[in-house]
Amino acid sequence: MIRSDQILKTVEMIQKENLDVRAVTMGISLLDCRTGDAESTARNVGDKIKLLAGSFVETCERIGGKYGVPVVNKRISVTPISHVGAGFSQEGFVRLARALDQAAAEVGIDIIGGYSANVEKGISQGDMNLIASIPEALASTGKVCSSINAGSTRHGLNMDAVGMLGKTVKATAEASRDDGGFGAAKLVVFANQPGDNPFMAGAIHCLGEAEAVINVGVSGPGVIARALERKIAEAGAESLGLDDLAEEIKQATFRVTRCGELVGRQVAEALGLPFGVVDLSLAPTPSVGDSVGEILKILGVDAIGAPGSTAIVAMLNDAVKKGGSFASQSVGGLSGAFIPVMEDAELAEAVESGSLTLEKLEAMTCVCSVGLDMVPIPGETDADTLAAIMADELMIGVINSKTTAVRLIPVPGKKAGEFISFGGLFGESVVMPVRNTGRSARFVNFGGRIPAPIHSLKN
Amino acid sequence: MADRQLMVISVMDRDRPGIVAEVTEGISSLDGNLADLRESVLCGYFTMILVASFAPDVSVEQVEQTLADVTSSRVSVALADGPLTEAEESEHAYVLSAVGRDRVGLVAQVSRFCCDRGVNIVDLASHVEDDQYTMMLQIDLSGLPALETFEAELKGFGQDSGLNLVLQHVDIFRATNEI
């Protein structure tokens, strides 16, 4: 028999502390959709998504209802489209993007990821056409997300690709100028991109995965924040060490993860699909009380970005992984704390007050997931500077054998300090200043590759 | 042991040390064998229900008399009606939590709603804090023809009664609390 205090705790987590399942993502292989032309391939892509995901949203709602835990986002990830459309023209790729968008709308999901390519060591002609089509593909679709893997610990960083992607990000923002450059919010550049990540914009269904699979991304910054506040109120701050607080984070994460795994497995079973992974990422939303930044403040810095912030993020990230990996049978994806500026009200406020700079944000991403995420920067920032910021961030991942990513939004026509809002889960923030712009072109223009790092002599 | 008879014994008293010892020693003195036991203390009051088997020649009156001699606590004894049944975990075990401003008749109202729909309350606990009354009912919905109808009626009942009602399958509580 479940004890009443256990019931009360779980009910409070859901009702008062924003516990939800952030994303249930169905991965679908599209490799068998490929024909000799873009038009019929696009038709097959649409048919397959509708066949496999026709009852996906309804199933998520029903299972979420059964347990009283809302599934916030229902998403689909697909085989990186560079594989599906290799040999097609730029227009052919855009046709596939529209097919993805239409199928996503028809099955009622929020967003679809996989307009993607892996160029970590070299760029094929298909990859080239896909990357060239990104600005138009993202501007002319609503639900399609794109991701490019430009580096890995095994192969180093492809600087030819990074240089090109600096221009792509700028062109993508420009192509959606009327929406504040929103297209760039659907484009992320990775190092060590995981192939089973349920979170957008970087979700893909990698080669090596099953025909279709269900992955789950849990949430829970609110639950962790409230658990820490309760612990501090009960025991008194003076009698607690950071190890005690890390333990509290582990326990709260355990509950959050268990919740996500239960819902995900039930959805998979109901759809007759294998269950893939739980992604343990601590994913904030712009809602008050659902912020990773707030946890940093509870753990002792008065302003996010103040000295100590990186240490706190490191501890938080580690405790989340420890609690979550014990709770789940199968962990994967990104699995770390996210610090996406626009999607986290406290982080956005720290940017506005000036306490959080791009450089400090970069330092914090050395010890957590997933990189410079949802960072609005001045639209006038030049493409080479964008590429150089990417290179800095991606090499943190390459050297440290971890995933890092960059989702910068050079907001057309906006300067540092001006406000930009995309609404909903994409959030809002003031535009972050970028220092030392225009001083990295010689580095970026060398191109080539930054070699893969040595795997011994670690220091 | 097969022909032994089962008796259900309940005990109630203000909580103090020694109640369990007194009652179970009394049962032992009659060669009674405990089958199951549950005790609970609520607001300083002790209650216990237990099931014990006795030889066929031991009567209910004899057990009552023996226990009256060894304990001052209020005891009642009854012959079990048929063989013991273990409550089986139902596929349709749900938890209904109800939260509202504390007032007279809340539990009566919720339990009547369940009763009228043939829903059995397997366990019930409550909690009061800052004028908020919280009930947690573990209920078995296996007898219901359609869960959707119950959910819809529950929604209406919540609106009429001013209670915040949440129905969740019991597995979510297991998942978040058990290793």
Side-chain angles (χ1 to χ4, degrees), chain A residues 1-4 6-8 10-11 13-15 65-69 254-255 258-259 262-263 266 326, chain B residues 94-95 97 122-123 125 127 134 136 138 164 166-179:
Chain A
M1 199 66 77
I2 308 288
R3 293 200 323 266
S4 58
Q6 295 173 324
I7 294 175
L8 210 55
T10 303
V11 169
M13 268 168 39
I14 296 165
Q15 296 212 322
K66 179 176 176 184
Y67 297 111
V69 181
F254 176 87
R255 293 177 206 285
R258 273 295 178 87
C259 200
L262 175 68
V263 171
Q266 292 285 321
F326 181 54
Chain B
Y94 280 75
V95 172
S97 47
V122 182
D123 198 51
H127 174 79
T134 305
M136 287 147 285
Q138 299 194 40
N164 179 16
V166 182
L167 182 69
Q168 293 166 284
H169 194 274
V170 73
D171 280 351
I172 190 73
F173 301 99
R174 292 226 169 78
T176 50
N177 288 290
E178 293 176 0
I179 291 174

Side-chain angles (χ1 to χ4, degrees), chain A residues 73-424:
Chain A
N73 290 295
K74 279 72 73 176
R75 297 166 168 173
I76 289 176
S77 62
V78 297
T79 308
I81 289 296
S82 65
H83 295 301
V84 183
F88 295 167
S89 64
Q90 206 173 306
E91 292 71 36
F93 274 105
V94 173
R95 176 71 191 89
L96 293 184
R98 292 197 178 121
L100 292 174
D101 199 43
Q102 195 182 340
E106 285 184 36
V107 299
I109 57 155
D110 304 288
I111 210 159
I112 186 164
Y115 200 71
S116 304
N118 182 3
V119 294
E120 62 189 15
K121 193 156 178 250
I123 310 174
S124 70
Q125 188 55 51
D127 299 332
M128 192 75 87
N129 288 354
L130 178 126
I131 292 172
S133 74
I134 287 174
E136 187 187 349
L138 296 188
S140 63
T141 57
K143 293 175 184 286
V144 175
C145 283
S146 178
S147 55
I148 305 292
N149 189 57
S152 68
T153 302
R154 185 168 288 276
H155 297 295
L157 184 63
N158 184 345
M159 281 303 295
D160 289 332
V162 170
M164 188 192 301
L165 288 163
K167 296 183 180 73
T168 307
V169 168
K170 207 166 159 59
T172 303
E174 199 55 49
S176 53
R177 170 176 270 272
D178 294 345
D179 299 320
F182 180 61
K186 298 183 288 177
L187 171 60
V188 56
V189 178
F190 275 97
N192 293 321
Q193 181 178 19
D196 54 4
N197 157 32
F199 286 105
M200 297 294 176
I204 52 171
H205 182 73
C206 212
L207 301 182
E209 290 283 334
E211 184 69 14
V213 70
I214 296 293
N215 295 316
V216 167
V218 299
S219 152
V223 177
I224 305 240
R226 300 291 85 75
L228 288 170
E229 280 176 346
R230 247 194 321 268
K231 181 81 180 170
I232 292 167
E234 281 165 12
E238 59 292 338
S239 67
L240 289 169
L242 285 165
D243 46 346
D244 299 315
L245 297 171
E247 185 59 28
E248 193 64 27
I249 296 169
K250 271 167 62 183
Q251 292 188 16
T253 307
F254 176 87
R255 293 177 206 285
V256 170
T257 308
R258 273 295 178 87
C259 200
E261 174 141 341
L262 175 68
V263 171
R265 285 191 182 275
Q266 292 285 321
V267 170
E269 191 182 320
L271 292 170
L273 296 176
F275 180 73
V277 299
V278 177
D279 189 317
L280 305 176
S281 298
L282 210 52
T285 67
S287 316
V288 173
D290 202 21
S291 154
V292 171
E294 183 188 12
I295 300 176
L296 268 65
K297 284 188 170 172
I298 294 169
L299 288 172
V301 284
D302 299 331
I304 300 161
S309 299
T310 307
I312 292 173
V313 172
M315 183 184 95
L316 171 66
N317 198 53
D318 181 64
V320 165
K321 285 181 199 174
K322 285 172 176 163
S325 53
F326 181 54
S328 171
Q329 199 175 324
S330 168
V331 176
L334 296 163
S335 288
F338 293 175
I339 44 173
V341 171
M342 291 184 74
E343 295 173 0
D344 186 308
E346 293 279 348
L347 291 174
E349 195 184 303
V351 170
E352 188 169 5
S353 72
S355 69
L356 181 60
T357 63
L358 197 58
E359 290 80 3
K360 185 63 177 177
L361 196 62
E362 183 186 303
M364 286 157 67
T365 67
C366 296
V367 294
C368 75
S369 182
V370 69
L372 296 173
D373 195 17
M374 288 300 286
V375 182
I377 57 172
E380 65 193 10
T381 312
D382 63 284
D384 288 336
T385 299
L386 282 172
I389 295 171
M390 278 181 207
D392 283 345
E393 181 63 38
L394 299 185
M395 278 311 290
I396 290 171
V398 169
I399 290 286
N400 293 300
S401 303
K402 73 188 284 289
T403 302
T404 48
V406 179
R407 185 160 48 149
L408 298 172
I409 302 126
V411 186
K414 296 258 184 192
K415 295 192 185 314
E418 291 188 69
F419 184 77
I420 176 72
S421 173
F422 293 140

Side-chain angles (χ1 to χ4, degrees), chain B residues 48-91:
Chain B
M48 174 167 73
I49 182 167
L50 62 86
V51 177
S53 67
F54 294 91
D57 58 342
V58 177
S59 68
V60 167
E61 292 72 25
Q62 208 178 338
V63 175
E64 281 176 338
Q65 188 54 55
T66 304
L67 294 179
D69 292 345
V70 296
T71 182
S72 58
S73 299
R74 197 182 312 162
V75 177
S76 83
V77 183
L79 267 180
D81 183 12
L84 292 184
T85 51
E86 278 300 324
E88 276 184 30
E89 185 56 73
S90 164
E91 267 282 290

